[in-house]
Amino acid sequence: MGREAGEDMTAPDSRSPKTHPPDGMKLRLLGPVGIWAGERFLGPATPQQRSVLAMLLLHAGRTVPLERLMKAVWEQEPPASARNAVQGYVSGLRRLLARVPGAELSTSPPGYRLVLDPARVDLPRFRELVARAHASDHGLASDLLRQALRLWHGPPLAGVAGGWLRDTFGVALKEEWLSTVEERIAIDLRLGRHHEALMELPALVGAHPLRERLVHLTMVALRRDGRRAAALAAYRELRGRLVEELGIDPGSELQQLYQRLLEEDDPATELGHAGRSAGEPEDVPAPPVPAELPADLVSFTGRGAELARAYETLRATESGGSRICQITGLGGVGKSSLAIHIAHAVAGDFPDGQLYINLHGDTPHTRAAQPAEAVRRFLRSLGVADAAIPAGLEEAAGRFRSLTRGRRMLIVLDNARDAAQIRPLLPGGPGCVVLITSRRRLASFEGAVQIPVDVLPDREALDLLRAVVGEQAIAAEPAAAAEVVRLCGGLPLALCLAAARLRARPAWSLAVLAKRLANTRRRLDELRADDRALRASFQTSYQDLQADPQGRAAARMFRLLGMLDGPDLSLSAAAALADLPEERAQDLLDHLADAQLVDNYLPDRYRLHDLLRLFARERAEEEDSLPERQRAFRRVLHHFLATVRTITHTLNRGSTWRLEVGPADLVQPGVTLLKSQDAKAWIDSEADNILAAVEQATRTPVAGEVVGLATSFAVLLHERGNYLKQFHLAELALVAAEHMSDPFYLAVAHGDLGWAHIYVGRPDDAIRHLHRSRTAFLRAGNTSREAALLDYIGVAHRSAGRYDEAITHHLRALALVGEADNRLTHGAVLTHLGLAYQRAGRFAEAIAAHTRTIAILRKAGISAYLGLAVGHLAEAHRLAGDPGQAVVYYRHALDLHREAGPIGEFREADILWGLGRALHDADRAPDARRSWRRSIGIMRGLNLITAEERHALESSEVPQTPQAIERQH
């Protein structure tokens, strides 16, 4: 480029600052790609490495996914070794870039990120100089543009592998170069330099014979040189080429210039709009001012944060380039409505007009608009006659950029399919802004602001329903209205379709609608009206996945995710579900996230909207066999069970017997969590998912896995103080055990349900289930749990206030278990006996029992429960009237607990609460309140108390002991 095309190589004006780094280290995209020291090429040596470098430079400062780098090297289906190869290319680039001051190439999941000074890269330097030229007077602008064009050393992205990079980015870069050359020549003509222009224009016209702007400039230069006949001949030659090759006439702007020359008009106006200075005569008709926005929705509600961000972006005062704002979200979330609402709000800021097009990227049963069709439509809107619209996409896109350059326009590209569909529709100047809606995140547009759109919160969803069906209907049935909002999942399209169904059937009430939507098998059938249906909206995104092998594998992952009822899924659980390595599973999940079919709302965690889950489940039942679905479900249960067993074995030695409940051989290894903090986080994040999976599987062939999982996970929930979840899990385990009719499983399930009943305040129900557990164990020939069950029955009696019965059962349990046989069980029974003595007011016996427990645990080296035992001893001393000794023991208990590093903070909250009571009894009220506040904070963090309860507890001088702690004593 540059030299071959007749670029002016004169030196820049001294007013133009030098932009090259002082050490001469530069990186080039505008010509042969590579790293240069002066004019010496340093590398990379291979086209493949140059492709990777080019992608990183084109997206400098941003993460480039590994898949994009692979596409840059191989274009189509990459080889099996592609990942390793790219990693090798990156490693080599790091060595090269180490010679570039300030450059840093880092791993940034899911790819790599290159950070460096933009002044070292030719493309940003070029664009900076062009932007400065736009803001300068003609004399300086010409010099700045010359300096910018001197940065070009040939066709852009030369020397890279394949053609994808050049096709995707090179075409637009070439257009930038040519538009800049045209702009510089137009300015030179304004400055009277037509002789210089005539030296380079013939070569440019020869290289681009159908480029109307170049012929326009040639005609002006010839007329100013006094060669009117040659100018008219240049027009006729162009027209002949256009008619012969494309069957069209030149555009209206060129025709008008030709007509003026025929009439011997004043050539001072010949440059037209693009070359005029302010205040010069205007004899060309004003271009049309399109106003194509669809009507704004009367029912639009909410979206305050998204609106604020869009307004800030679109109304920004800086003008370094076309401002692009992209709205993304799943189908039916209201992207188009939001974009149109935004466009109407800012339309007044764009006096040259508003263009709008629905690209139908995800419209059911409708072909997506082709870029050429869209460009032609925009050109017609800007006043270009059909006959003057270039047939080729590149020429038409160039004409569009020329017509929008220097204008202030708003361009709305609604429902876009992909970046390739959008790229030709981007304007050519800084005064325009572009608002895009798409289900896919389009990351290849430099500087684009992403605005993700989620479902509506309940209040805004109810406002939307109210706007459609009316205030009177909502006021008459507020509970039913809230239920409709819940069943629609806050999805605006679903709410609008449900409301349309209601309006079309006057006999229906909101309660009738809610009842029909409650049927999960028919919910998607209900969400349709006229030619619009929610299922069809989802189907479009799903069908798009089938275009390539990666998409088909992602579609399978989507179907499998829909089988699970849990609120979300971790990467490791998804990998187990699909029977894939985690790296492969992550690729597929990322593919689904880009298609807005899953929400990657936290690192390595994914979730489905409820209505998408129903759709995915429909697809699974249609496309995957029952045995295949059962195997997948079994894999995820085994993943959970294996992980729970690992945590239990590591952190709760007293419950290792539970590891033998359920299948011995697991098809998935689970997650290895070496730190207690990781185990706590896993328990909290997976509790609801495990409950949902257990509930799903209670009456299936994997009921044995259900009982095993519930039995192992129950103790972990108990350690976290999650008694209600523990209780629900135990109820589900009993349903599964009854389905199996196995005495051992029934014994375990009744025992766990009895244990859970104690901690939700139902001691008599607890005793009934515990006795059933004893009976079932005996029927199964198992007496190993007899002492523990008697002990639990004693705890239930203590909870009911029957302390004598409690003590009797604890003593019976104590007689069955010897210290040498099971020191942990022995210690537990003694602890519960001590607590029963405390409740009965027999403090000396309580202190003796707790002291024996501590001795047993120390002798056995069991540190996990030692802090809790010392805390019980402290409470016994407090109740006995010795708060000072209680404070000493409580502080010791806190230290022991923290040294042991147990599963949960709930024990710490228990000890801190007791310490607060002891400090209060010792007349140390400020210290007591500090200890209580720390305990309250932990309990709130574990969701054991509500925000209102926290406020009430912290506001009280002597707060009442919360139930979660009271049941421990």
Side-chain angles (χ1 to χ4, degrees), residues 745-777:
Y745 285 138
L746 282 169
V748 170
H750 275 296
D752 275 3
L753 185 54
W755 177 35
H757 268 296
I758 294 170
Y759 289 93
V760 295
R762 300 174 183 174
D764 292 330
D765 290 331
I767 291 168
R768 186 177 74 256
H769 282 288
L770 291 167
H771 279 300
R772 288 180 180 175
S773 177
R774 286 183 66 204
T775 302
F777 269 120

Side-chain angles (χ1 to χ4, degrees), residues 694-703 706 732 735-736 738-739:
V694 165
E695 186 164 8
Q696 249 183 298
T698 51
R699 293 181 174 87
T700 67
V702 290
V706 168
L732 295 171
V735 172
E738 288 173 340
H739 180 72

Side-chain angles (χ1 to χ4, degrees), residues 658-723:
R658 295 173 177 271
L659 308 184
E660 300 175 6
V661 181
D665 298 323
L666 302 180
V667 298
Q668 288 290 326
V671 180
T672 301
L673 301 163
L674 300 178
K675 297 179 181 178
S676 62
Q677 193 64 36
D678 294 335
K680 288 185 282 186
W682 189 90
I683 293 165
D684 292 343
S685 61
E686 298 297 351
D688 289 337
N689 290 313
I690 290 175
L691 280 167
V694 165
E695 186 164 8
Q696 249 183 298
T698 51
R699 293 181 174 87
T700 67
V702 290
E705 280 89 338
V706 168
V707 179
L709 179 56
T711 301
S712 298
F713 197 54
V715 70
L716 303 183
L717 289 174
H718 186 81
E719 292 286 355
R720 302 290 286 157
N722 289 327
Y723 302 138

Side-chain angles (χ1 to χ4, degrees), residues 160-488:
V160 298
W164 181 82
L165 265 173
R166 290 189 293 272
D167 292 342
T168 304
F169 299 98
V171 171
L173 290 175
K174 288 179 184 177
E175 175 63 30
E176 278 192 66
W177 174 83
L178 190 53
S179 295
T180 304
V181 170
E182 292 171 339
E183 184 176 359
R184 197 258 304 154
I185 293 173
I187 291 173
D188 283 352
L189 288 173
R190 181 63 56 194
L191 295 171
R193 299 172 181 169
H194 54 275
H195 293 297
E196 292 91 334
L198 286 173
M199 294 176 64
E200 60 181 311
L201 276 168
L204 287 166
V205 172
H208 307 277
L210 301 180
R211 184 87 173 184
E212 294 187 28
R213 182 61 175 150
L214 290 174
V215 174
H216 187 290
L217 294 169
T218 300
M219 293 170 66
V220 172
L222 288 167
R223 179 64 185 86
R224 295 208 173 163
D225 197 43
R227 298 157 62 185
R228 174 174 169 273
L232 293 170
Y235 172 85
R236 295 186 187 105
E237 289 173 8
L238 172 66
R239 183 179 183 279
R241 290 194 297 269
L242 289 173
V243 170
E244 180 180 350
E245 296 186 28
L246 304 178
I248 62 172
D249 283 321
S252 58
E253 190 176 354
L254 204 59
Q255 291 182 36
Q256 291 165 1
L257 175 59
Y258 176 70
Q259 188 63 37
R260 288 199 302 273
L261 289 176
L262 286 174
E263 298 170 359
E264 289 286 342
D265 209 345
D266 182 357
T269 61
E270 290 160 359
L271 290 176
H273 181 78
R276 275 192 314 276
S277 296
E280 293 191 19
E282 166 68 85
D283 64 350
V284 179
V289 179
E292 299 181 344
L293 297 178
D296 199 0
L297 286 180
V298 176
S299 60
F300 185 88
T301 57
R303 303 296 190 199
E306 292 87 349
L307 290 171
R309 189 163 184 215
Y311 295 156
E312 179 183 7
T313 300
L314 300 179
R315 288 169 167 163
T317 56
E318 65 272 9
S319 57
S322 298
R323 297 190 296 280
I324 300 176
C325 188
Q326 187 195 353
I327 299 172
T328 58
L330 64 89
V333 81
K335 301 180 293 297
S336 297
S337 299
L338 174 60
I340 292 167
H341 188 77
I342 292 168
H344 277 282
V346 302
D349 296 338
F350 301 97
D352 292 322
Q354 306 90 43
L355 294 170
Y356 171 90
I357 188 169
N358 185 343
L359 295 168
H360 295 295
D362 290 290
T363 304
H365 316 303
T366 303
R367 180 179 64 87
Q370 296 302 305
E373 297 171 0
V375 173
R376 286 195 287 271
R377 171 172 165 177
F378 278 175
L379 288 175
R380 284 193 292 270
S381 298
L382 293 173
V384 180
D386 284 339
I389 295 175
L393 174 59
E394 184 177 348
E395 289 287 326
R399 173 68 69 83
F400 174 64
R401 287 190 288 270
S402 296
L403 290 176
T404 54
R405 195 172 190 87
R407 303 181 72 179
R408 295 186 61 196
M409 301 190 73
L410 170 64
I411 300 167
V412 181
L413 307 178
D414 194 9
N415 198 2
R417 180 181 181 83
D418 52 32
Q421 189 187 33
I422 287 173
R423 196 167 282 110
L425 305 176
L426 298 182
C432 298
V433 301
V434 183
L435 187 57
I436 303 168
T437 73
S438 175
R439 296 188 188 181
R440 298 155 191 82
R441 297 183 182 91
L442 308 177
S444 62
F445 299 119
E446 184 176 355
V449 173
Q450 299 286 340
I451 301 181
V453 181
D454 203 349
V455 296
L456 291 169
D458 288 349
R459 181 182 58 78
E460 292 182 9
L462 190 60
D463 287 343
L464 175 59
L465 188 63
R466 179 182 290 107
V468 179
V469 304
E471 174 63 42
Q472 186 174 357
I474 302 296
E477 299 178 278
E483 181 66 1
V484 169
V485 166
R486 185 187 71 80
L487 293 170
C488 290

Side-chain angles (χ1 to χ4, degrees), residues 528-533:
R528 56 182 171 80
D530 298 329
D531 60 343
R532 303 177 73 198

Side-chain angles (χ1 to χ4, degrees), residues 2-3 6-12 146 149-150 152 184:
R3 300 184 187 209
E7 180 187 341
D8 190 331
M9 301 300 291
T10 56
R146 277 185 168 80
L149 290 165
R150 221 177 345 265
W152 289 73
R184 197 258 304 154

